[in-house]
Amino acid sequence: MKAAVVTRFDRAPRFETFPLPVEIGAHEQVVPVVAAGLHPRVLSQANGSHYTSTDELPLVPGIDGVARTADGELRYFVQSDSALGSMAEQTVIDLRRSVVLPAGADPIRIAAAMNPAMSSWVALRRRIDLRPGQSVLVLGATGNAGRLAIQVARHLGAGRVTAVGRGADRLAGLGADVTVALDGPDERAVAAALAEAGRDVDVVLDYLWGEPTSSALRAIVPNRTDDDRLLSWIQIGSVAGADSAIPSAALRATRLQLLGSGQGSVSTRDILTELEALVAAVSGDAFALAVRAVPLEHVEQAWADAPTSGDRIVLTPGG
């Protein structure tokens, strides 16, 4: 079969032949893939930089997607850790790691939205207990996952959502109650805006880490309205750097809890438990997103476009 195949971590996958496994498990099925999302998590899988990477080559990237099973049903699936991912004409899925799509659901939309939406959905549902009306700040709100995090937080009951990121024009159209542009010309004004935005925030969804997180903590913590009010800071992504200098006073001066949300800190069982509800939300009109479908054979061009594309790219093995 044809697939996107990674043979070197320093170049894009190529459209080549890749063998299906000879043996499959009792709960597994060989299925034709309908759609597979090209997420940042997939890019890091393909270049070997993700923390779960085993350096095994060759491999077919892709961590989730939509497939048609033997009974004709469309299913969203989360791939097991293996060298055969979802970016192929066919793959092997574990039916226990999948959920049937509702009638009329768009498989392209499902493949585009599930992974980026899952990052904030799982964080708010499984890492903390978000209560109706609480305030959520999204740090890194202009990325694909960050844009969806604003909508997810609202959908799950947040009363006030603040979007923080680069580009005031990009932030303006995200539907947040408050926006803070990190690339403003006056650093003191940016710090003041962060301090005001974080004064009464309950949850931070952090997709940046690195220096922006350190700066945000320095701005927010000393200006909390109530130091007894819990501030849950959930680390999800590290676009701005793998390491962040956390001010020691931040851990002493206010009721701060630092959490991570991702593969490992959230169990596979918990993630799978959330699939049905998230599929239902994505299938409806709960979230707005821009999607671009690209035939699998054009995978190299899709890889080149992904870092700067404003759309969520979905590879379609059927063309």
Side-chain angles (χ1 to χ4, degrees):
M1 66 163 184
K2 292 291 188 178
V5 182
V6 176
T7 55
R8 287 170 39 180
F9 288 129
D10 61 350
R11 71 182 184 195
R14 296 183 175 180
F15 188 63
E16 299 177 351
T17 299
F18 194 89
L20 281 167
V22 176
E23 297 181 0
I24 63 173
H27 298 282
E28 294 180 330
Q29 192 176 116
V30 176
V31 293
V33 178
V34 176
L38 179 47
H39 319 301
R41 166 68 175 82
V42 176
L43 294 174
S44 63
Q45 175 194 30
N47 66 27
S49 66
H50 195 263
Y51 66 87
T52 62
S53 177
T54 63
D55 295 333
E56 179 182 2
L57 290 175
L59 67 82
V60 173
I63 58 171
D64 68 345
V66 176
R68 190 176 298 278
T69 50
D71 56 9
E73 291 181 321
L74 285 174
R75 283 181 174 261
Y76 171 76
F77 64 90
V78 177
Q79 200 68 316
S80 305
D81 291 329
S82 74
L84 178 56
S86 57
M87 293 182 170
E89 292 175 328
Q90 294 176 288
T91 194
V92 176
I93 67 170
D94 186 329
L95 295 175
R96 297 169 299 180
R97 298 169 63 97
S98 70
V99 61
V100 177
L101 299 192
D106 179 359
I108 305 297
R109 178 180 171 83
I110 295 291
M114 285 294 290
N115 175 265
M118 195 181 302
S119 67
S120 53
W121 182 284
V122 168
L124 294 173
R125 293 268 297 169
R126 292 288 168 171
R127 295 301 282 144
I128 63 167
D129 181 19
L130 180 70
R131 298 191 302 276
Q134 285 191 307
S135 174
V136 175
L137 184 151
V138 180
L139 186 58
T142 55
N144 277 309
R147 293 200 300 268
L148 273 172
I150 295 168
Q151 302 177 61
V152 168
R154 190 87 73 194
H155 181 78
L156 294 178
R160 175 185 169 99
V161 181
T162 299
V164 180
R166 296 189 176 277
D169 54 338
R170 298 170 65 194
L171 289 164
L174 299 181
D177 299 297
V178 179
T179 62
V180 177
L182 292 175
D183 51 353
D186 187 338
E187 291 185 5
R188 288 178 298 179
V190 172
L194 281 170
E196 180 62 30
R199 191 179 300 278
D200 296 306
V201 73
D202 298 295
V203 181
V204 173
L205 299 176
D206 186 350
Y207 289 92
L208 297 182
W209 207 238
E211 178 56 32
T213 294
S214 182
S215 297
L217 281 166
R218 292 178 191 279
I220 291 171
V221 168
N223 293 284
R224 296 283 285 170
T225 300
D226 180 1
D227 286 331
D228 287 336
R229 183 172 184 166
L230 179 63
L231 172 57
S232 298
W233 200 289
I234 310 178
Q235 202 285 317
I236 302 175
S238 52
V239 174
D243 300 309
S244 182
I246 304 301
S248 60
L251 298 172
R252 301 194 305 267
T254 196
R255 193 177 166 210
L256 171 68
Q257 65 171 351
L258 294 174
L259 304 164
S261 185
Q263 189 175 342
S265 60
V266 182
S267 71
T268 299
R269 180 179 61 185
D270 283 350
I271 292 172
L272 296 177
T273 298
E274 296 295 333
L275 290 186
E276 187 171 355
L278 182 53
V279 163
V282 171
S283 299
D285 57 1
F287 310 132
L289 70 157
V291 182
R292 176 159 61 97
V294 176
L296 180 62
E297 63 193 78
H298 298 154
V299 60
E300 290 184 68
Q301 185 59 53
W303 231 257
D305 293 344
T308 57
S309 176
D311 301 332
R312 177 63 65 168
I313 296 174
V314 174
L315 296 178
T316 53

